[in-house]
Amino acid sequence: SILPLMLASGNWSSHPMSFILLGIPGLESSHFWIAFPFCVMYVVAVAGNIIILHVIRTDHTLHQPMYLFLAMLALTDLVLSSSTQPKMLAILWFHAHEIEYHACLIQVFFIHAFSSVESGVLMAMALDRYVAICFPLRHSSILTTSVVIKLGSVVMVRGLLWVSPFCFMISRMPFCPNKVIPQSYCEHMAVLKLVCADTRVNRGYGLFVAFSVVGFDIIVIGISYVMILRAVLQLPSGEARLKAFGTCASHICVILALYVPALFTFLTHRFGHQVPHLVHIIFANVYLLVPPMLNPIIYGVRTKQIRDRVVRGCCGKEP
């Protein structure tokens, strides 16, 4: 038979039919009630990002680099939140803890690929702010629509190509009898802990992706804002400085909302063995739900063009 030969040669990867997602371990008795704020945040995230996309699509005056990047961010947030929250709500409300093996790997792919895309879009938005403030007269000629689309495509392709090996490598590895994942969604490191084999290559590749994607993006964002700060402090008018800082404030809030919980989750998985598991799980959920909810609120409130467009639509003053 070919099966014993495959097993002997190491080319056969056995895997369970499904995994068990526990939700939020330690708060099982409160799952039903915890689901309500999660549901509200998910509804706000979906509705807010759809509104942002609709406003930018229908208002041709908003077809500028800043708003095109914002549309990319809204689309990414929709995918990111929808890849985890429906299953999480099913776990908390209906005790639907089982997730099929391939569905779990698909979730791993979408979570990490679109987290990478979101980081790349934030980097592109920082570059847009840098060009707009440091080279205001050349902004439209530097960041043309073609350049914006190419930059968005590079960010998307980078996320897809860098993350695809995660799922490929895991799919070829044998799993232990334990198939319980002590959180509410399938994440690369959580699934990797169920593998009965040497995972040093997988962990090494995970670190490479984290530092080559997030590390690179954070460096570019940091350099952009250092240059922006230097340019703003050289402005002669205090009012002009305040206005320039105001245009960057919303972007800085969005950056902090994504990177702080994301880095905490990443570092806790690998080095934070003393961090209580409940704290880790809460931050893991915050990282995937709060930024998609906050982004449309922050940009909708602080961006006058979008705010006015939404108000006109709500008041029935659309042309």
Side-chain angles (χ1 to χ4, degrees):
S1 172
I2 192 172
L3 180 57
L5 293 175
M6 294 176 69
L7 289 170
S9 64
N11 293 327
W12 176 265
S13 293
S14 61
H15 61 75
M17 295 295 294
S18 61
F19 295 106
I20 302 297
L21 295 169
L22 293 185
I24 306 178
L27 295 178
E28 287 84 357
S29 60
S30 304
H31 274 185
F32 181 79
W33 302 108
I34 293 173
F36 285 98
F38 279 10
C39 182
V40 170
M41 287 190 287
Y42 178 53
V43 170
V44 171
V46 171
N49 284 295
I50 287 177
I51 289 172
I52 292 288
L53 285 170
H54 174 70
V55 168
I56 294 173
R57 184 182 68 84
T58 56
D59 191 338
H60 294 286
T61 63
L62 299 182
H63 292 182
Q64 303 171 25
M66 174 184 173
Y67 302 106
L68 294 177
F69 286 132
L70 182 53
M72 295 178 196
L73 186 66
L75 185 60
T76 303
D77 282 337
L78 281 174
V79 175
L80 198 55
S81 57
S82 296
S83 65
T84 58
Q85 298 313 305
K87 180 60 180 178
M88 183 189 298
L89 294 176
I91 293 170
L92 300 179
W93 268 332
F94 308 113
H95 308 292
H97 294 278
E98 189 174 30
I99 182 169
E100 199 267 332
Y101 171 78
H102 292 100
C104 184
L105 292 189
I106 290 172
Q107 198 175 59
V108 169
F109 173 77
F110 274 95
I111 289 170
H112 292 285
F114 281 88
S115 293
S116 169
V117 172
E118 178 138 353
S119 177
V121 172
L122 292 179
M123 176 197 67
M125 295 175 81
L127 290 174
D128 172 65
R129 292 299 83 208
Y130 163 69
V131 175
I133 291 175
C134 297
F135 305 99
L137 299 179
R138 298 173 55 198
H139 180 253
S140 59
S141 61
I142 295 174
L143 283 176
T144 62
T145 302
S146 173
V147 170
V148 170
I149 293 174
K150 288 177 182 176
L151 189 54
S153 300
V154 168
V155 166
M156 175 66 74
V157 171
R158 182 190 68 171
L160 299 181
L161 290 182
W162 256 235
V163 172
S164 295
F166 281 155
C167 300
F168 177 75
M169 288 190 291
I170 290 179
S171 68
R172 298 177 61 83
M173 303 187 79
F175 283 81
C176 301
N178 174 34
K179 59 178 184 176
V180 176
I181 299 175
Q183 56 188 61
S184 51
Y185 58 85
C186 292
E187 189 266 345
H188 177 242
M189 284 300 298
V191 175
L192 203 59
K193 290 177 181 178
L194 304 182
V195 169
C196 279
D198 186 353
T199 59
R200 282 178 295 182
V201 173
N202 303 65
R203 293 171 185 270
Y205 183 71
L207 287 172
F208 164 75
V209 170
F211 286 112
S212 65
V213 173
V214 178
F216 175 79
D217 293 347
I218 289 178
I219 290 172
V220 173
I221 290 170
I223 293 173
S224 298
Y225 274 97
V226 168
M227 302 299 290
I228 288 171
L229 182 62
R230 288 180 57 187
V232 169
L233 292 177
Q234 292 174 1
L235 293 175
S237 167
E239 183 179 349
R241 287 197 296 269
L242 187 62
K243 182 178 179 181
F245 279 126
T247 61
C248 299
S250 55
H251 189 231
I252 292 173
C253 291
V254 168
I255 290 171
L256 293 176
L258 174 70
Y259 285 125
V260 171
L263 288 173
F264 179 87
T265 301
F266 172 79
L267 294 173
T268 301
H269 254 309
R270 288 162 174 79
F271 312 112
H273 304 296
Q274 304 303 318
V275 176
H277 188 63
L278 179 59
V279 174
H280 176 206
I281 297 304
I282 290 174
F283 267 87
N285 289 325
V286 164
Y287 143 62
L288 289 178
L289 184 55
V290 171
M293 177 195 69
L294 285 181
N295 292 350
I297 295 175
I298 291 172
Y299 282 110
V301 170
R302 292 196 58 86
T303 307
K304 184 178 184 299
Q305 292 89 332
I306 293 179
R307 184 175 66 247
D308 292 347
R309 188 73 161 75
V310 172
V311 170
R312 290 202 305 269
C314 292
C315 295
K317 296 181 180 179
E318 291 277 27

